[in-house]
Amino acid sequence: MAPAPPPAACFSAAEVQRRLAAGACWVRRGARLYDLTGFVRQHPGGEQLLWARAGQDVSADLDGPPHRHSDNARRWLEQYYVGDLQGDPQGPVENGSVASASTQKTDPVMEPKLKAVDWEKDLVDWQKPLLWQVGHLGEKYDEWVHQPVSRPIRLFHSDFVEALSKAVWYSVPIVWVPLVLYLSWSYYGAFTQGNVQLLAPFATEYSVAMPESAFPGLFVLGLFLWSLVEYLIHRFLFHMKPPSDSAYLIMLHFAMHGQHHKAPFDTSRLVFPPVPASLMIAAFYLLLRLVLSAAVAGTVFAGSLLGYVIYDLIHYYLHFGSPHEGSYLYHLKAHHVKHHFAHHQSGFGISSKLWDHFFHTLTPEEPHPKTQ
């Protein structure tokens, strides 16, 4: 017979108040207490929304309006469960905050799932590298990978290979911006010489001469082309559903993108590491060179590479930044958060929603609250 689980810790209102006074951000859901101090910077709605609710019951905020949190968001909250509040859960905890009777109601369907996270009973052993484990999840993989957690991921046993699979955000501009500048300068010089053809040498008889004035247009075309490539890769490659009977395809999916959906706030896995990124970037350049001349392909490639840098930096900011309410990035962040926590098969644009508009894959808008 399995031993009974240890009883939940209990905290008095005075103990909670002392922690709040010390700078912690504790909230509650009924009598259940959550320490969100380490999460406030990651909160999709911004830090201030959580600090303003420190010590309060957030049940009504989870249910909305204006925003009803997804099942995944509610599971996410349970990772920060620390114990229960002693005494009357409707009593004041901080600044006279009192929970109304309606906020104590819980969803009978979700409530059995909302338990403190037990890492020892997960489908994988988090003390070991995950890549070799996820391939054996089979048909359970898709549901598991789309239930995000707040903890770092290790993929490989080898420290060297593991290091190549991670990157800090500033490595992206450090590595790729100098290449963008070098390519732009070099190929602009080729355009100034006045002997640039549009197509590759094999199609010289069908090609046309490109004037110097075409350089900025081709560069901008590369930026525009990247936004489409970004969307297509994210939708059709990163969000493919690997067959449950193929361990290697499951592992490939997890290495490419599944890891990011499982741990969306792992800071070391939010931008593409330079080594694996260089393989995709080189393949993209060779594809352009199959059709276009060196100068034209290089110029379009330089614009696309700058688009990639912008994309990766925006992606990082959407996870950790706090854009001004109502701004373009604010709405873009809301779009991306819904992709992670509620609508995995929509919202594929990261740096823009252009192609989501075009292909009708925008994340659903929040329903307007009904007036009584």
Side-chain angles (χ1 to χ4, degrees):
M1 183 176 179
C10 289
F11 299 87
S12 67
E15 289 175 305
V16 174
Q17 175 58 37
R18 283 195 294 271
R19 294 175 185 269
L20 294 173
C25 183
W26 282 33
V27 299
R28 59 195 181 98
R29 183 172 176 264
R32 294 173 68 82
L33 293 166
Y34 305 89
D35 181 2
L36 301 182
T37 310
F39 178 66
V40 288
R41 181 168 171 256
Q42 304 170 4
H43 182 238
E47 298 181 28
Q48 293 306 315
L49 287 179
L50 285 185
W51 286 119
R53 288 161 177 77
Q56 299 181 15
D57 191 310
V58 296
S59 300
D61 296 292
L62 291 173
D63 293 334
H67 168 61
R68 188 182 191 283
H69 289 65
S70 66
D71 293 347
N72 272 333
R74 294 162 188 257
R75 291 189 187 97
W76 182 278
L77 177 65
E78 293 306 312
Q79 296 173 97
Y80 301 96
Y81 171 70
V82 290
D84 294 336
L85 179 67
Q86 289 178 340
D88 181 11
Q90 297 186 21
V93 172
E94 189 267 337
N95 292 337
S97 300
V98 179
S100 67
S102 63
T103 66
Q104 306 307 313
K105 298 177 182 179
T106 56
D107 186 340
V109 176
M110 278 302 300
E111 186 63 20
K113 304 177 184 178
L114 299 181
K115 304 299 179 185
V117 177
D118 186 348
W119 299 110
E120 295 182 357
K121 294 182 179 179
D122 197 14
L123 296 178
V124 296
D125 184 347
W126 285 87
Q127 303 303 314
K128 299 177 181 178
L130 297 187
L131 187 60
W132 311 112
Q133 300 183 62
V134 297
H136 302 291
L137 295 183
E139 60 185 15
K140 298 179 181 179
Y141 169 74
D142 190 64
E143 179 181 7
W144 175 85
V145 82
H146 288 116
Q147 292 179 350
V149 297
S150 179
R151 62 178 299 161
I153 279 178
R154 184 180 178 98
L155 292 180
F156 302 97
H157 288 280
S158 167
D159 291 338
F160 176 72
V161 178
E162 178 69 9
L164 294 180
S165 73
K166 301 163 74 172
V168 292
W169 70 266
Y170 50 82
S171 67
V172 174
I174 288 175
V175 171
W176 300 116
V177 168
L179 181 58
V180 171
L181 296 175
Y182 172 76
L183 292 173
S184 301
W185 179 260
S186 298
Y187 289 117
Y188 179 72
F191 272 86
T192 61
Q193 295 176 11
N195 58 356
V196 173
Q197 299 294 312
L198 174 62
L199 301 180
F202 75 88
T204 304
E205 63 272 23
Y206 303 106
S207 191
V208 294
M210 302 297 292
E212 180 182 341
S213 59
F215 177 85
L218 291 171
F219 190 90
V220 172
L221 175 63
L223 279 168
F224 181 77
L225 179 60
W226 166 257
S227 70
L228 176 60
V229 170
E230 165 196 324
Y231 176 91
L232 294 176
I233 289 177
H234 193 187
R235 180 177 179 180
F236 296 107
L237 181 61
F238 290 171
H239 276 271
M240 69 172 183
K241 184 175 180 180
S244 59
D245 59 350
S246 176
Y248 290 108
L249 286 180
I250 290 175
M251 291 164 58
L252 178 62
H253 177 268
F254 189 71
M256 288 193 305
H257 194 63
Q259 55 170 312
H260 174 55
H261 270 263
K262 189 61 182 177
F265 292 103
D266 185 341
T267 57
S268 65
R269 300 189 181 280
L270 275 175
V271 298
F272 280 96
V275 172
S278 64
L279 300 177
M280 298 183 66
I281 289 171
F284 179 67
Y285 174 73
L286 292 175
L287 186 62
L288 290 175
R289 282 292 286 120
L290 288 175
V291 180
L292 303 174
S293 66
V296 173
T299 303
V300 173
F301 175 73
S304 298
L305 189 56
L306 179 60
Y308 157 69
V309 172
I310 294 171
Y311 146 81
D312 238 352
L313 296 183
I314 286 180
H315 184 216
Y316 188 92
Y317 183 78
L318 296 184
H319 280 263
F320 283 100
S322 297
H324 181 71
E325 184 173 357
S327 66
Y328 172 77
L329 288 174
Y330 180 87
H331 292 292
L332 203 57
K333 178 168 183 167
H335 178 70
H336 190 57
V337 166
K338 286 188 284 187
H339 168 75
H340 269 285
F341 285 88
H343 306 287
H344 309 300
Q345 295 305 318
S346 60
F348 299 107
I350 306 298
S351 57
S352 99
K353 295 190 281 186
L354 170 64
W355 298 106
D356 282 307
H357 280 286
F358 186 82
F359 291 111
H360 307 291
T361 54
L362 287 167
T363 53
E365 294 293 330
E366 294 289 337
H368 294 287
K370 295 180 180 179
T371 56
Q372 299 299 322

